[in-house]
Amino acid sequence: MAFFDFLHIFTDLFNSIEKAWNKLDPQVQDALIKGSTVINIINENLQATPDSVFDLIEKKFPDVTKDKLTAALANVTDKLKVAQDTANPDLLTTIKNLQTYFSGFQGKFWEGTASTASQLLSIALAPDETPFAKVASFIEYVYRRKIKNS
């Protein structure tokens, strides 16, 4: 029974995060969902053409402009040191670079990289005053409860 008691820690943690989620600024919730979903779309379509991936993103989030997405993903690729030899790539090149980058990881390393990229993209899409710790605290909850099961 000790094992099942241990599992309750995660249930209790997610229940606490859900309560905090409901009190979170809607703009931050939106940024977390968009950041996690965009990275998830890229990861689920590693073999697709970048314009097909962009079409999926645009269909899911028609309110995210191409310019805003380009700038936000450029922030992610800069922080992750993706395609260091490309100066100011366009959106499709950035998506292709991320597809190539993500396809080099597996298992827990892929999960860690995807989580980091989701956090970076979410903070780039969030209001400027949003603390990174807030994004980091909610990213797993958002992926597990809002993205993966949708």
Side-chain angles (χ1 to χ4, degrees):
M1 288 300 184
F3 179 72
F4 292 110
D5 290 340
F6 177 72
L7 290 179
H8 284 286
I9 291 172
F10 294 108
T11 303
D12 293 346
L13 179 62
F14 267 62
N15 288 338
S16 295
I17 291 173
E18 187 165 12
K19 288 176 187 172
W21 172 263
N22 293 328
K23 296 176 185 173
L24 197 59
D25 182 313
Q27 290 178 305
V28 176
Q29 288 178 343
D30 186 59
L32 280 157
I33 289 171
K34 285 177 179 166
S36 293
T37 302
V38 167
I39 296 301
N40 192 53
I41 288 170
I42 294 170
N43 269 313
E44 287 183 345
N45 295 282
L46 296 176
Q47 304 305 318
T49 63
D51 39 343
S52 296
V53 173
F54 174 67
D55 289 344
L56 292 169
I57 294 167
E58 190 174 43
K59 183 184 281 184
K60 184 77 174 175
F61 303 114
D63 62 316
V64 176
T65 66
K66 192 172 186 175
D67 289 341
K68 183 165 183 129
L69 185 60
T70 301
L73 285 175
N75 193 319
V76 173
T77 58
D78 178 57
K79 301 297 183 260
L80 292 177
K81 305 295 184 216
V82 174
Q84 296 176 28
D85 58 342
T86 307
N88 300 320
D90 65 8
L91 178 60
L92 298 181
T93 302
T94 300
I95 290 172
K96 182 64 181 164
N97 290 340
L98 284 167
Q99 288 173 303
T100 302
Y101 183 75
F102 289 134
S103 33
F105 294 97
Q106 295 177 347
K108 64 183 174 182
F109 296 104
W110 171 83
E111 287 181 10
T113 302
S115 177
T116 301
S118 295
Q119 291 173 49
L120 292 170
L121 185 54
S122 295
I123 201 69
L125 295 172
D128 289 341
E129 66 277 0
T130 306
F132 188 82
K134 189 177 280 188
V135 168
S137 298
F138 284 97
I139 205 73
E140 187 68 22
Y141 168 80
V142 170
Y143 177 72
R144 300 279 176 212
R145 296 282 171 96
K146 306 287 182 188
I147 310 304
K148 189 175 179 184
N149 296 328
S150 65

